[in-house]
């Protein structure tokens, strides 16, 4: 983004806006057919930590006919300067206005970033609503985990890619380049018609939404014969063959995750019932040790980073983790790079493996029991006992970890006060284990942190039907936990309950929420994921002025036969399977992970799954596509 630096006095971190970093890609724009603006709806530091952006940026730039450039949301101070001077939002690499690009793509990582997406369109001078864009405007697309329910932002996007993008993005660019060279036959509409033949692409204008008298969705149906009734997500079947960048942009400003990220596998075999990522990223697919060692070696040589992080939903489940760490340790010892395990499940196997290498970085460790009582952990199918956690704490303290954070969720389905108080009891037990491992620990300050967020029911999970508790009840349970923690050596941190209510409403919303998002933006809602920018009163006003209630989307139990706003999207896991998991949850029956045998969730039909096979004994295969009959 090109600016006159003499006018940037008072701008926080101006290096966010300069571009020109090591590893960034510049091209002759006259020599490419397609220009792609990759927009991340948060600050530079957050966006530069996103692995998906790193992958697609280098993948697109590996083509001779396309140039992908990065665009981030300007912070409040820079936005004020831009609006005062009439400077439009521009891309980092060329400094060209975003509105001059062919394709403008947003990644929706978090519902609370929706208003930033709209604000970036406004700053770029691109009409917010897809229906208002003309032939001279860029085509705006969306992707990322939040588009598994695309409806709240559907009116703003010309098209949406559901699922993984490494293969689909080539098909989209190929189609666009051919359409452009042919003289743009049929205009925007002609290109969008062609996209309906690309797997995983959803074009909202080709679908109508109907509502019943009670405000629930009656259905989402194609209004043209060439649009599929259900859009099936894209899945990359072979991760060894999939593109992965062996160079990356090294930011001037320290990113949140300022290190090499090595993706071991996709998917998760544990099946925690609250976790959306566990279900929408299935099936489970791994990269081989040889592929990972080769990628790590090239990334170390290209970037100069001193830390390498192993990335996945549950790193400890990688089948050949011991061999991988041994190989990476040898590589690290030659290069002086340390290895970080942000998602590692600590047990005797992994601790022994980690102890083999001085390259493994030790510091704070996060364990996620999620619930304080075993009863509630069975409800969510966490698959962790108190004995497991005590063993993990012993191993961690014995392996040199100096502090532990325990992460929990409040407001989980069926939670009672005794479950909340059990969190404090569990934390006290872990603290006692620390004192036993380190007698000097009592003289130190807080070395155990309890961190809580509030349960948000998400699409494509077994809990997609259940209500969220209200904001007042959330505050009461938070206070109950705070009062139940007696030791000064236990610090308590919590996520704002009001943010969780808005998040739930947006996560389970339908297409009517586009009006709410536009109104919220007009009221000044931006950077809502940041506590100092979030304003709950403005969100309440936005819903109210649009004639909608937040609680209708967040706090209402969905009926078993109710059409869900995202039912026309197929993420692989069957609705019948999810309904069966909800029934088991209400009975307090854990399911166990996929490692004990295939559970028949349905995702294996999209690509080969590491745990695919006959459904395990006692578990039915994926049932009918209906909902659940209640608990």
């Amino acid at each position: 983004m090109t600016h006159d630096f003499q006018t940037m006095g008072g701008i926080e971190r101006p290096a966010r806006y300069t571009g020109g970093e090591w590893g960034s890609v510049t091209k002759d724009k006259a020599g490419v057919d397609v220009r792609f603006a990759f927009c991340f709806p948060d600050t530079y530091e957050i966006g530069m930590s996103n692995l998906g952006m790193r992958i697609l940026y280098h993948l697109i730039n590996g083509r001779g006919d396309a140039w992908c450039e990065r665009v981030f949301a300007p912070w409040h101070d820079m936005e004020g300067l831009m609006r005062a001077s009439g400077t439009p939002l521009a891309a980092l690499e060329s400094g060209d206005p975003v509105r001059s690009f062919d394709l403008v793509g947003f990644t929706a990582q978090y519902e609370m970033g929706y208003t930033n997406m709209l604000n970036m369109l406004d700053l770029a001078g691109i009409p917010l609503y897809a229906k208002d864009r003309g032939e001279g405007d860029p085509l705006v697309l969306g992707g990322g985990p939040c588009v598994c329910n695309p409806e709240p932002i559907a009116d703003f996007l010309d098209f949406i890619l559901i699922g993984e993008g490494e293969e689909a993005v080539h098909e989209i660019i190929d189609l666009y380049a051919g359409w452009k060279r042919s003289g743009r036959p049929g205009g925007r509409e002609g290109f969008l018609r062609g996209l309906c033949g690309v797997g995983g692409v959803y074009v909202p204008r080709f679908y109508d939404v109907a509502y019943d008298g009670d405000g629930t969705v009656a259905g989402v149906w194609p209004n043209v014969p060439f649009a599929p009734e259900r859009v099936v997500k894209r899945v990359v079947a072979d991760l060894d063959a999939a593109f992965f960048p062996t160079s990356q942009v090294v930011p001037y400003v320290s990113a949140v995750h300022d290190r090499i990220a090595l993706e071991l596998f996709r998917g998760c075999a544990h099946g925690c019932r609250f976790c959306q990522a566990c279900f929408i990223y299935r099936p489970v697919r791994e990269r081989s040790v040889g592929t990972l060692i080769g990628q790590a070696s090239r990334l170390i040589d290209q970037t100069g980073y001193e830390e390498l992080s192993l990335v996945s939903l549950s790193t400890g489940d990688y089948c050949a983790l011991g061999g991988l760490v041994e190989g990476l340790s040898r590589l690290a010892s030659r290069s002086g790079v340390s290895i970080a395990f942000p998602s590692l499940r600590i047990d005797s196997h992994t601790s022994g493996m980690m102890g083999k290498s001085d390259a493994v970085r030790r510091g704070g460790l996060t364990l996620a029991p999620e619930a304080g009582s075993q009863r509630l952990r069975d409800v969510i199918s966490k698959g962790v006992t108190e004995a497991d956690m005590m063993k993990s704490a012993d191993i961690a303290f014995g392996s040199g970890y100096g502090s532990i954070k325990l992460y929990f969720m409040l407001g989980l389905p069926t939670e009672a006060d005794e479950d909340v108080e059990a969190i404090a009891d569990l934390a006290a037990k872990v603290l006692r284990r620390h004192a036993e491992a380190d007698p000097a620990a009592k003289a130190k300050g807080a070395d155990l942190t309890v961190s809580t967020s509030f349960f948000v029911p998400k699409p494509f999970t077994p809990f997609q039907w259940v209500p969220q508790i209200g904001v007042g009840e959330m505050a009461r349970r938070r206070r109950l936990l705070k009062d139940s923690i007696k030791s000064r050596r236990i610090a308590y941190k919590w996520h704002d309950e009001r943010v969780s209510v808005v998040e739930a409403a947006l996560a389970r919303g339908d297409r009517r929420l586009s009006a709410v998002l536009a109104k919220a933006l007009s009221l000044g809602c931006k950077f809502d994921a940041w506590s100092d920018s979030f304003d709950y009163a403005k969100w309440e006003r936005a819903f109210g002025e649009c004639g909608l209630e937040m609680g209708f989307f967040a706090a209402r139990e969905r009926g078993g036969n109710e059409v869900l706003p995202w039912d026309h999207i197929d993420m692989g896991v069957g609705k019948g399977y999810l309904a069966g998991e909800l029934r088991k949850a209400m009975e307090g029956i854990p399911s166990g992970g996929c490692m004990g045998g295939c559970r028949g969730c349905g995702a294996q039909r999209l690509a080969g799954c590491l745990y695919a096979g006959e459904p395990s004994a006692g578990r039915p295969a994926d049932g009918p596509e209906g909902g659940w009959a209640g608990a």
Side-chain angles (χ1 to χ4, degrees), residues 142-156:
C146 283
V147 301
C148 67
N149 175 21
E151 293 307 291
I153 53 174
D155 283 343
F156 307 116

Side-chain angles (χ1 to χ4, degrees), residues 328-406:
L328 290 176
S329 296
R330 288 193 295 269
L331 183 63
S333 66
R334 295 195 300 266
S335 58
V337 172
S338 63
I339 305 169
F341 296 88
S343 306
L344 190 65
R345 292 168 66 91
I346 300 295
D347 56 27
S348 57
H349 168 70
T350 53
S351 69
M353 173 202 65
M354 291 164 60
K356 296 178 182 178
S357 173
D358 292 333
V360 176
R361 180 178 57 82
R362 295 172 180 81
L365 177 71
T366 298
L367 300 176
E370 309 292 355
S373 69
Q374 190 59 50
R375 183 201 70 81
L376 194 52
R377 286 194 293 273
D378 289 343
V379 167
I380 64 176
S381 198
K382 180 63 181 176
V384 172
T385 66
E386 183 174 306
D388 293 330
M389 286 178 281
M390 294 302 108
K391 188 174 183 179
S392 295
D394 290 343
I395 292 168
F397 292 132
S399 298
Y401 285 91
S403 62
I404 285 184
K405 176 193 281 187
L406 297 176

Side-chain angles (χ1 to χ4, degrees), residues 22 26 70 99 147 149 173 190 275 295 385 395 412 442 600 631:
W22 176 266
T26 57
R70 295 162 297 145
R99 64 171 177 256
V147 301
N149 175 21
I173 292 176
C275 179
Q295 291 173 351
T385 66
I395 292 168
L412 286 163
K442 291 182 179 179

Side-chain angles (χ1 to χ4, degrees), residues 27-329:
K27 295 188 178 185
D28 178 4
K29 58 188 176 185
V32 298
D33 296 325
V34 182
R35 298 191 66 191
F36 191 109
F38 194 121
C39 300
F40 194 94
D42 211 313
T43 62
Y44 177 92
E45 298 95 305
I46 303 295
M48 287 299 295
S49 300
N50 181 260
L51 181 58
M53 169 173 261
R54 296 179 190 180
I55 292 172
L56 292 179
Y57 176 80
H58 289 286
L59 181 147
I60 295 171
N61 281 323
R63 298 175 58 115
D65 63 346
W67 184 14
C68 179
E69 302 184 48
R70 295 162 297 145
V71 187
F72 301 97
W75 191 244
H76 302 296
D77 51 1
M78 177 56 80
E79 181 185 342
L81 178 63
M82 291 169 64
R83 291 194 182 278
S85 62
T87 303
L89 187 66
L92 281 182
E93 280 74 7
S94 66
D96 289 345
V98 172
R99 64 171 177 256
S100 68
F101 282 67
D102 297 301
L103 299 169
V104 174
F106 285 91
T107 177
Q109 297 289 318
Y110 180 36
E111 292 87 353
M112 302 309 294
Y114 286 164
T115 52
N116 272 14
M117 293 171 58
L118 303 190
N119 193 49
M120 291 173 75
L121 287 173
D122 185 60
L123 281 168
I126 300 171
L128 291 188
Y129 286 93
K131 64 181 176 61
D132 295 329
R133 295 181 198 127
E135 296 299 329
D137 292 311
L139 286 143
V140 181
L141 64 141
C146 283
V147 301
C148 67
N149 175 21
E151 293 307 291
I153 53 174
D155 283 343
F156 307 116
L157 300 173
D158 292 297
F159 65 98
I160 297 165
L161 175 60
I162 309 294
E164 297 169 352
E166 288 97 327
E167 296 166 352
V169 74
H170 280 309
E171 297 171 24
I172 292 168
I173 292 176
D174 286 344
L175 184 69
Y176 185 90
W179 171 77
K180 186 177 180 181
R181 286 193 299 267
S182 299
R184 306 174 187 263
R188 297 170 70 88
E189 186 87 359
F191 174 69
L192 294 173
R193 282 172 172 261
L195 278 175
C196 289
V198 176
V201 172
Y202 173 51
V203 184
R205 73 174 66 192
F206 294 146
Y207 294 78
D208 292 330
V209 184
Y211 299 92
D212 286 323
D214 60 359
T216 60
V217 173
V220 181
W221 301 287
N223 55 34
V224 292
F226 49 81
E229 289 189 8
R230 299 187 76 202
V231 179
V232 182
K233 77 169 182 178
R234 291 297 292 263
V235 173
V236 176
D238 185 351
L239 290 189
D240 273 341
F243 175 84
F244 193 83
T246 51
S247 64
Q248 65 185 50
V249 181
V250 180
Y252 289 139
V253 178
S254 179
V256 173
H257 300 298
D258 202 12
R259 59 182 75 98
I260 295 169
L262 199 64
E263 184 187 35
L264 308 191
F265 64 92
R266 293 181 188 173
C268 181
H270 286 281
C272 299
R273 290 167 175 147
F274 60 86
C275 179
Q276 186 182 58
C278 172
F279 294 97
I280 68 172
Y281 291 130
R282 294 185 183 188
V284 180
R285 294 142 291 146
E286 291 189 341
R287 285 189 168 93
S288 67
V289 171
T291 296
L292 291 168
I293 295 292
Q295 291 173 351
S297 178
R298 290 189 291 273
L299 281 163
I300 289 170
D301 290 342
Q302 290 288 329
T303 65
Y305 275 121
E306 297 180 349
E307 183 175 315
L308 183 148
S309 176
L310 305 184
V311 177
S312 68
L313 291 175
S314 182
T315 301
D317 294 326
Y318 182 69
C319 287
L321 188 60
L324 175 63
V325 171
E326 287 183 2
L328 290 176
S329 296

